[in-house]
Amino acid sequence: MDGGQQQHGPLSGFTVGVTAARRADELGALLQRRGATVLHAPALRIVPLADDSELLAATKELIDLAPDVVVATTAIGFRGWVEAADGWGHGEDLLDRLRGVELLARGPKVKGAVRAAGLTEHWSPSSESMAEVLDRLLGEGVDGRRIALQLHGEPLPGFVEALRAGGADVVLVPVYRWLPPADLTPVDRLLDAAVSRGLDAVTFTSAPAAASLFARAEERGMTAELTAALRHDVLPACVGPVTALPLQTRGLDTVQPERFRLGPLVQLLCQELPGRARSLPVAGRRVEIRGHAVLVDGELRAVPPAGMALLRALVRRPGWVVARAELLRALPGAGRDEHAVETAMARLRTALGAPKLIQTVVKRGYRLALDPAAGSKYAD
């Protein structure tokens, strides 16, 4: 039994959706290394604005009229800004201007980008939170101050409005834009998998990705279905609180790691998904139901989708007889022929490698052979 448990990772048997555009390969590799099946569907694409008049105009405006504070929000965005300015022939002028202002960096990666440009940040929040940056600015007082905010693809309306309400002159520096993916097929595949409960979790590493996924769901008339799936069956896992906002505004609970990094996000899933799996004592064995696989006494057994549909129907009423007609309704696209139940049941028993886990009750249906000692606990 111990040997069987060594053959699989904590996420084996689970399917996880990845919506990231950046660092998707890294996140996918971390998940797969722990046994997960990964469905990758970038929910957006990042378009640099090297030719964009808004970025050029903001850069010239800041060079001509110095800000009091510059807030660098992302490493890739800050580097992109400096590189774009350099391409326009304004690189040195921009760096000279930034050396003379209060430069705030949101997090260690942004600090690294700032220092790589030959600059030194004045302060960086320990939480990597824009809320902490805002608290500091408002605590210092912003009335009459000129504050430049480097954006990375998304506006920060609450942040900007609070500064302007405090009397600040806010200059927005848009370095990148988020756009829907050029190919919507992977996103549609992820949406279909989510609403059909073919996913166990979906990860979000940016707020625009979450917003973009719901925008596509709305275009397809699937908003209510997606919301229901994420509320009840598919775990939404966000890298941090900012990323979670578009989900929380829809009344969805999310899980987030304490440290806003990919590694801790994966570790959180390694705790959450096995903890949500149903585990039952059946025919003298311990059976744990995962997304597309079953652990039988610690040994991972892959189960086809039709088999999983039958097993979940039996697990909903462990030990009770479930009629063939009801099992037929549980089968995806099975039609009206109850013979489909018998075929899928035979394949399920073969996949489980333990035929006695499921008993045939002649002329009535099938039941999970729940151990008698556990029967009263699951009788409801």
Side-chain angles (χ1 to χ4, degrees):
M1 180 161 55
D2 291 341
Q5 290 180 331
Q6 296 301 314
Q7 295 171 10
H8 63 83
L11 295 179
S12 293
F14 296 113
T15 302
V16 180
V18 171
T19 61
R22 291 191 302 120
R23 301 181 69 196
D25 290 344
E26 180 184 349
L27 177 55
L30 287 171
L31 291 165
Q32 288 172 337
R33 205 173 299 148
R34 288 156 179 82
T37 297
V38 174
L39 183 60
H40 179 221
L44 43 79
R45 57 194 162 108
I46 305 168
V47 181
L49 302 184
D51 299 324
D52 193 276
S53 57
E54 287 180 62
L55 178 58
L56 177 58
T59 302
K60 285 182 174 179
E61 183 182 346
L62 294 172
I63 291 171
D64 293 341
L65 182 58
D68 299 293
V69 181
V70 172
V71 180
T73 62
T74 62
I76 189 173
F78 188 80
R79 284 195 301 268
W81 182 20
V82 173
E83 288 167 6
D86 196 46
W88 291 320
H90 299 304
E92 282 304 317
D93 291 338
L94 176 61
L95 291 176
D96 285 344
R97 181 59 81 199
L98 293 176
R99 286 187 186 98
V101 305
E102 182 182 343
L103 184 54
L104 308 183
R106 185 198 61 83
K109 289 184 181 177
V110 192
K111 283 198 290 188
V114 165
R115 293 179 185 182
L119 305 169
T120 304
E121 77 286 350
H122 285 65
W123 177 80
S124 181
S126 57
S127 66
E128 305 177 44
S129 163
M130 289 299 287
E132 193 173 343
V133 175
L134 181 61
D135 287 345
R136 177 185 172 92
L137 289 170
L138 295 178
E140 291 175 346
V142 297
D143 190 21
R145 300 185 85 192
R146 184 171 167 80
I147 299 173
L149 177 62
Q150 170 254 310
L151 298 173
H152 178 56
E154 59 177 312
L156 295 167
F159 191 95
V160 173
E161 287 164 5
L163 291 176
R164 286 178 173 157
D169 173 21
V170 181
V171 180
L172 302 179
V173 184
V175 185
Y176 288 77
R177 288 197 201 284
W178 301 108
L179 294 176
D183 181 6
L184 289 168
T185 305
V187 175
D188 287 345
R189 192 178 300 126
L190 185 141
L191 283 170
D192 291 340
V195 300
S196 67
R197 278 47 172 189
L199 292 180
D200 299 290
V202 59
T203 59
F204 297 96
T205 55
S206 73
S212 179
L213 187 68
F214 268 96
R216 180 57 181 164
E218 188 169 348
E219 288 173 4
R220 294 184 62 197
M222 298 172 66
T223 304
E225 292 175 88
L226 177 62
T227 302
L230 293 176
R231 178 167 291 130
H232 300 296
D233 302 298
V234 181
L235 178 67
C238 299
V239 77
V242 174
T243 298
L245 284 175
L247 298 166
Q248 291 173 345
T249 57
R250 294 176 179 272
L252 293 170
D253 293 328
T254 66
V255 295
Q256 303 160 33
E258 291 184 10
R259 293 179 60 247
F260 310 145
R261 292 283 183 274
L262 296 187
L265 177 63
V266 172
Q267 287 303 115
L268 181 62
L269 286 173
C270 289
Q271 298 165 14
E272 290 283 340
L273 289 181
R276 291 158 64 101
R278 186 80 181 270
S279 185
L280 294 168
V282 183
R285 298 173 179 246
R286 173 59 57 175
V287 175
E288 182 180 310
I289 317 297
R290 294 191 167 194
H292 58 263
V294 178
L295 289 181
V296 180
D297 283 345
E299 182 181 354
L300 190 72
R301 311 286 301 194
V303 176
M308 286 303 301
L310 292 182
L311 187 57
R312 290 188 188 285
L314 294 171
V315 166
R316 277 195 288 273
R317 286 189 284 158
W320 292 69
V321 177
V322 182
R324 282 182 176 81
E326 184 175 338
L327 292 171
L328 181 62
R329 288 193 294 273
L331 280 179
R336 298 180 179 178
D337 186 359
E338 289 189 6
H339 181 67
V341 174
E342 296 172 15
T343 302
M345 189 63 71
R347 290 174 180 165
L348 171 59
R349 283 170 163 157
T350 300
L352 293 174
K356 292 182 180 179
L357 296 178
I358 301 170
Q359 296 175 339
T360 301
V361 182
V362 180
K363 296 184 179 180
R364 292 181 61 198
Y366 299 89
R367 64 183 291 274
L368 208 59
L370 192 70
D371 286 348
S376 59
K377 178 179 177 183
Y378 297 100
D380 294 338

